[in-house]
Amino acid sequence: MDTSTSDGGRHRRRFRIALPLAAAGIAAAAPAALLTSSAQAATPQPTPTVTPANTAPTLAALKARIKGAIATDGTAGETAKSSMSASTSSSSAISPKIIGGTETTITTAPWMAQLWYYDDKGTTTTADDVGFFCGGTVVSPTKILTAAHCVKGYNWKANGAVVTGTADLADDDLHGGTASGVWYQWNHPSYNAATIDNDVAILTLANPITAKPIPMTTTADTASYKAGTSATVYGWGRTSGSTEDIAQTLKTATLPIQSDANCAAEYGTGYIKGHMVCAGDPATGSDDGTTAICNGDSGGPLIVGGKVVGVVSYNTENCGAVPGEEGAYSGFAKLSTYAGLTHQRVEDTDLSGDGRADVFFRNKAQQVGYELDSKGTSFGGRQSWGDWSGVNVIAQADLDRDGYQDFVYRVSAGGDVYWLHWVPASGSWATKKLYDDWKTRKRIITPGDLTGDGLPDLASVDSGGTLWIYPGKGNGSFGTRAKVGTGWNQYNVVVGHGDFNDDGHADLIARSSGGNNIWLYRGTGKTGTAAFSARVKVRTAWNSVNAVDAVGDITGDGKADLLARTTDGTLWLYKGTGKASSAIFATRVKIGTNFAQYDILG
């Protein structure tokens, strides 16, 4: 891709997407739930009907994809990209890699992932084969952050393999690493291959992995992008501007963050302020003295202060390491801009495995629980989960971040609170008691990650109106509770799951008992009294609403939504906009009538 700067003396740049070099489904919600009845007896529940779209690929199949990707040695997202300057019409492909870095170990970067893709197109010829390699970052046990140009237009479920837990590049041997299939994929809906804009994506793995995740930054982060800040990159990309050889062992390098002015001076209108960040000292035009990302590093992380702040996106064609490319910087997607979207993908409450949050309602008369799968702005036919009598709270919560939606429920008699979770290894449900005697708790909420550590938390309002946060440990256990504040008995609704104001922090929604005003409590990523910013009134006079539910991103657009039922039994979808104001929701969408039959929405 050619770019020209607005500076009359600068030459035009040809730069390529951070060059890559070369799944599978599982049952989302599965059988035999064990609930504890009011008599404290374990009662087997009917098996829900869930048909997985596919089965996880075998290890042999994953290794074959890796082998095919190595043999094909192509480029992800390679496309003709017109100049970012209005004064030229030349074009080129795009690509990246680490030049001038040093070898490191997987112990120092346990969250690094290798993304291998191979599609033989079902033909006997190799001429049409597609194969390439990208980097990625483990941001939860089932989520890999990467670049959109590594994902958009490719079927990772059918053709992808993700390798974690090793610093050595996979080949016929995984070198102690773990190979995983992909369940489903997401890339920024506004990704533009021509400009490499909005270059972020997330792959959801078919099974959870043990690699330690690293947190993503949030919208409020400005300090990480201050010019001169030291950032770290990791990858297996090219190690020289003059050869196509990539690193066989993970490499790392330290790059100073550059100002927007410097980035724009180098890349002209090709640099999109707010969506991109560039880093590194100006390239020298040779390997000597150049430290930069290069082909094969695409999708990898830019890290500051222990958090991912950027995704490897682009560089000049040979990464500034050949004559004529002096002065080049390494380009990244600026993750703070996309924090709301990426965090929501980790927080999805997805029973069906399609990337959209689903709902779970209990029928009041028969006490039967039903799964209703989101279709975007409507729901599919309900699926029975059997008898849920003897409980008075049901909330979805993937407390162990394994990609399977589980449930937190409270037994009516005694008030004990349990976690019902699917165990993939045994193919069965397990029940764990979380707390004794919570019968007087006014609210029990599973909001996602309130504390900013990447792990799902629990919250409750006690009989005196005090809100407490229970920081999750990622395994169905919780740390010492923290007191947020008193006065929460003024609300007859407190719900939340995900990020309503698009800043990368989980929030809460509350409704006043008297005036029925709706308030947004904006999460800060902290705990205790600092857990929320000042509340914001986002709706007034919701007197006709008698039930509210929040399960996350129902529409699949990356923003948390709300469901509200009016007294006539009509269910309405309030699509989130990400705005912390009266415009927090778009015009409501009518889901349907006859929802008065449900007494628990969760």
Side-chain angles (χ1 to χ4, degrees):
M1 170 186 74
D2 288 345
T3 62
S4 58
T5 68
S6 55
D7 224 359
R10 304 288 287 178
H11 55 276
R12 297 189 179 103
R13 286 287 178 207
R14 299 181 65 194
F15 65 99
R16 301 193 294 168
I17 291 177
L19 181 72
L21 305 170
I26 44 178
L34 292 179
L35 291 183
T36 302
S37 69
S38 57
Q40 299 293 324
T43 332
Q45 299 300 298
T47 300
T49 303
V50 177
T51 304
N54 208 334
T55 56
T58 63
L59 179 58
L62 293 171
K63 286 186 173 181
R65 295 174 187 179
I66 294 170
K67 184 177 181 179
I70 293 171
T72 308
D73 194 22
T75 304
E78 191 166 19
T79 180
K81 181 175 173 23
S82 60
S83 170
M84 296 185 178
S85 166
S87 63
T88 178
S89 60
S90 58
S91 64
S92 179
I94 305 177
S95 151
K97 28 209 159 167
I98 292 181
I99 293 176
T102 58
E103 288 189 357
T104 189
T105 66
I106 199 64
T107 303
T108 63
W111 20 259
M112 282 301 296
Q114 303 172 25
L115 277 54
W116 299 92
Y117 187 90
Y118 175 64
D119 181 6
D120 66 4
K121 299 292 185 178
T123 65
T124 57
T125 177
T126 60
D128 59 353
D129 289 0
V130 175
F132 58 84
F133 172 84
C134 278
T137 310
V138 180
V139 292
S140 92
T142 61
K143 305 289 182 178
I144 307 295
L145 174 71
T146 188
H149 72 259
C150 295
V151 172
K152 175 70 172 179
Y154 303 109
N155 186 343
W156 276 87
K157 187 175 196 174
N159 305 306
V162 175
V163 176
T164 54
T166 179
D168 296 323
L169 204 63
D171 41 41
D172 291 334
D173 188 345
L174 295 181
H175 304 290
T178 299
S180 303
V182 174
W183 187 1
Y184 58 88
Q185 63 193 64
W186 171 88
N187 59 261
H188 194 291
S190 298
Y191 167 64
N192 188 321
T195 60
I196 325 174
D197 190 18
N198 304 310
D199 197 14
V200 293
I202 286 182
L203 299 177
T204 297
L205 302 181
N207 290 293
I209 55 177
T210 58
K212 183 181 179 181
I214 185 172
M216 295 181 287
T217 195
T218 58
T219 301
D221 182 10
T222 57
S224 296
Y225 303 100
K226 184 179 179 180
T229 299
S230 290
T232 310
V233 292
Y234 297 83
W236 289 271
R238 274 173 62 190
T239 58
S240 171
S242 58
T243 74
E244 295 298 319
D245 295 339
I246 62 171
Q248 297 302 302
T249 301
L250 182 64
K251 296 192 74 175
T252 184
T254 300
L255 306 176
I257 298 292
Q258 291 291 334
S259 67
D260 285 329
N262 283 353
C263 301
E266 179 62 22
Y267 290 115
T269 56
Y271 179 79
I272 302 175
K273 181 180 178 180
H275 290 196
M276 298 175 179
V277 61
C278 75
D281 291 319
T284 65
S286 72
D287 290 341
D288 186 25
T290 295
T291 301
I293 57 173
C294 209
N295 304 66
D297 293 324
S298 283
L302 180 71
I303 295 172
V304 173
K307 292 186 176 182
V308 185
V309 302
V311 177
V312 174
S313 185
Y314 64 85
N315 202 336
T316 52
E317 186 172 11
N318 289 291
C319 317
V322 298
E325 293 187 3
E326 297 87 353
Y329 301 117
S330 300
F332 305 82
K334 189 175 184 180
L335 197 56
S336 63
T337 298
Y338 307 105
L341 288 169
T342 54
H343 281 265
Q344 196 67 53
R345 294 274 61 82
V346 174
E347 288 288 357
D348 52 13
T349 310
D350 185 7
L351 287 165
S352 61
D354 64 357
R356 294 187 290 255
D358 305 311
V359 295
F360 187 89
F361 295 163
R362 187 183 71 173
N363 180 275
K364 182 177 182 179
Q366 288 82 35
Q367 303 285 282
V368 174
Y370 291 100
E371 171 187 342
L372 284 76
D373 294 338
S374 172
K375 303 300 180 184
T377 55
S378 64
F379 290 95
R382 65 184 190 179
Q383 304 170 49
S384 174
W385 278 64
D387 182 13
W388 284 71
S389 58
V391 303
N392 54 22
V393 171
I394 304 171
Q396 294 183 58
D398 184 11
L399 296 183
D400 54 4
R401 283 281 200 257
D402 66 353
Y404 293 89
Q405 283 308 303
D406 308 322
F407 297 91
V408 170
Y409 67 89
R410 181 175 65 184
V411 175
S412 303
D416 293 346
V417 176
Y418 291 84
W419 174 42
L420 180 69
H421 59 108
W422 178 249
V423 182
S426 63
S428 61
W429 291 90
T431 304
K432 176 183 178 179
K433 183 187 286 188
L434 300 179
Y435 294 103
D436 295 316
D437 191 20
W438 271 24
K439 59 179 175 290
T440 61
R441 297 294 167 116
K442 301 297 184 183
R443 312 283 170 234
I444 299 174
I445 311 112
T446 53
D449 175 25
L450 285 174
T451 59
D453 62 358
L455 301 172
D457 306 313
L458 194 67
S460 77
V461 178
D462 66 22
S463 58
T466 299
L467 176 67
W468 301 90
I469 291 176
Y470 298 77
K473 296 183 178 180
N475 60 1
S477 300
F478 298 89
T480 304
R481 69 178 187 175
K483 182 179 178 179
V484 176
T486 58
W488 287 77
N489 49 4
Q490 67 181 291
Y491 302 116
N492 56 21
V493 168
V494 182
V495 295
H497 193 95
D499 175 18
F500 286 96
N501 67 322
D502 210 22
D503 66 353
H505 297 301
D507 309 310
L508 293 181
I509 297 284
R511 185 177 76 166
S512 302
S513 300
N516 283 319
N517 295 323
I518 302 295
W519 302 89
L520 169 67
Y521 279 83
R522 297 166 293 170
T524 62
K526 302 175 183 178
T527 192
T529 56
F532 299 100
S533 300
R535 67 179 187 176
V536 177
K537 186 187 292 185
V538 294
R539 281 291 186 276
T540 59
W542 265 31
N543 308 68
S544 64
V545 172
N546 63 8
V548 179
D549 193 19
V551 293
D553 178 18
I554 293 171
T555 64
D557 64 356
K559 302 181 188 301
D561 306 309
L562 201 69
L563 291 169
R565 184 183 65 193
T566 48
T567 52
D568 63 356
T570 301
L571 186 68
W572 301 90
L573 169 64
Y574 287 80
K575 296 189 291 183
T577 64
K579 300 176 182 178
S581 67
S582 59
I584 188 173
F585 301 115
T587 303
R588 67 181 185 176
V589 175
K590 184 177 181 179
I591 298 297
T593 57
N594 198 32
F595 282 87
Q597 63 180 296
Y598 301 110
D599 64 343
I600 296 180
L601 284 63

